[in-house]
Amino acid sequence: VDAGLVETVLPRQVLESNGAIYSSTDPSDPIASSQKVQLTADTPITHSIQSFAPNGGLRKEVYMESMSSCPENLDVLDALIDARHQLAQSLGFESYSHRFLQDKMAQSPQAVFAFLQDLQHRIKPVYKQEMEVLSSVKQQLEGSAEVEPWDVKFYVKLLKAQAGIDPNELAPYLSLSNCLNATQILVQQLFGIKMQEVELKVGERWANELA
C-alpha cells in the first residue's frame, strides 16, 4: 500500500515495530513516485487504519486484504469441515452443529436460526436508522452515499468524536477488578450462581516461566 497514506494514520516507527516492510524506490523512476509499504495483518494495525484513515481507497485495500483467506488454506479448511461432519454422523448426529449444540442453551441449529431471525427482525429498524446517518456523513465528505463495509468503523469513530465521546474516559470504569465484580453480580442475578476465588492447584495454571 502507499506508505504516505498509511503514515497519515500511523507513524513509520510504529509500523516498522509491528513488522511493516518498506520498499526501496528509485527517485528517477516516475512509476515508482510513491514509496510502498507491506503491512502485517495484525489486528491493531488493520483496525487503526480502518478506523482513522480518511482515504476510502486505503481503507478498502486494507479491509479486503485482511478479510481474504489464504488460497492455500481453503482445501485444508474444506477437509476439516468434511472430517468433523463425518465424525458427528459416526456418533449418531445429523451434523456437526447438532453435536456441538447438544449441551448448549440453544440445543439445536433450528433454535439458533430462529434466534438470529428474531434478532434481525428486532434490530433492523435501528440498523437502517444508523446506516442513514452514516450515509449522510459519507455523502458530505466523499460525495458518495453508499456505505461500504470498510467505511463503517471510520464513520462511527468520526461521529463519536464529533459528539464528544472519548473512549478513554470510560477506561477507569472498565478495570479488571470492576469487570470481575460486575460479572459476579450478573452471574448471580441471572443464574443464581455465586462465583468465589479459589487457589489454583498444581497443573491448573501455566508454568511460571511461561506466564
Side-chain angles (χ1 to χ4, degrees), residues 41-61:
D42 292 342
T43 300
I45 298 297
T46 58
H47 176 77
S48 295
I49 293 174
Q50 291 180 52
S51 298
F52 300 106
N55 186 283
L58 174 61
R59 295 197 305 269
K60 177 180 179 180
E61 186 174 359

Side-chain angles (χ1 to χ4, degrees), residues 75-105:
D75 289 340
V76 176
L77 293 174
D78 287 340
L80 289 172
I81 292 172
D82 184 61
R84 73 179 191 179
H85 177 70
Q86 293 183 31
L87 171 64
Q89 289 197 321
S90 68
L91 295 173
F93 296 95
E94 182 179 342
S95 68
Y96 181 80
S97 297
H98 288 82
R99 176 183 179 274
F100 178 80
L101 292 168
Q102 64 165 332
D103 59 348
K104 307 296 188 297
M105 185 180 294

Side-chain angles (χ1 to χ4, degrees), residues 1-203:
V1 294
D2 188 298
L5 292 177
V6 176
E7 289 176 7
T8 62
V9 182
L10 296 167
R12 179 167 182 152
Q13 58 267 30
V14 172
L15 295 172
E16 290 182 326
S17 66
N18 282 274
I21 301 175
Y22 280 78
S23 62
S24 58
T25 57
D26 182 359
S28 64
D29 185 356
I31 298 180
S33 57
S34 62
Q35 189 174 25
K36 301 295 182 181
V37 59
Q38 181 179 337
L39 304 174
T40 64
D42 292 342
T43 300
I45 298 297
T46 58
H47 176 77
S48 295
I49 293 174
Q50 291 180 52
S51 298
F52 300 106
N55 186 283
L58 174 61
R59 295 197 305 269
K60 177 180 179 180
E61 186 174 359
V62 171
Y63 175 87
M64 295 300 291
E65 288 295 332
S66 63
M67 297 299 290
S68 298
S69 301
C70 178
E72 291 78 6
N73 289 339
L74 295 180
D75 289 340
V76 176
L77 293 174
D78 287 340
L80 289 172
I81 292 172
D82 184 61
R84 73 179 191 179
H85 177 70
Q86 293 183 31
L87 171 64
Q89 289 197 321
S90 68
L91 295 173
F93 296 95
E94 182 179 342
S95 68
Y96 181 80
S97 297
H98 288 82
R99 176 183 179 274
F100 178 80
L101 292 168
Q102 64 165 332
D103 59 348
K104 307 296 188 297
M105 185 180 294
Q107 294 190 335
S108 71
Q110 292 78 12
V112 172
F113 182 76
F115 170 77
L116 294 176
Q117 288 288 95
D118 179 64
L119 183 63
Q120 181 185 37
H121 176 73
R122 292 172 183 268
I123 67 175
K124 190 172 183 178
V126 178
Y127 165 80
K128 291 181 64 175
Q129 182 180 1
E130 292 183 349
M131 290 301 291
E132 288 174 0
V133 174
L134 297 183
S135 177
S136 176
V137 177
K138 185 180 179 182
Q139 176 67 47
Q140 295 175 24
L141 295 184
E142 298 188 40
S144 171
E146 185 175 359
V147 179
E148 302 288 357
W150 49 85
D151 295 324
V152 175
K153 288 182 180 179
F154 173 75
Y155 284 104
V156 167
K157 290 279 188 181
L158 181 63
L159 288 171
K160 285 184 176 180
Q162 291 178 348
I165 300 175
D166 184 2
N168 293 325
E169 293 181 355
L170 301 177
Y173 302 98
L174 298 175
S175 64
L176 178 60
S177 59
N178 284 349
C179 290
L180 289 175
N181 290 336
T183 301
Q184 290 177 329
I185 295 171
L186 186 63
V187 169
Q188 187 164 5
Q189 290 183 349
L190 288 178
F191 308 112
I193 298 174
K194 185 176 181 181
M195 297 174 59
Q196 291 183 326
E197 183 177 355
V198 297
E199 185 69 24
L200 290 176
K201 298 179 180 179
V202 176

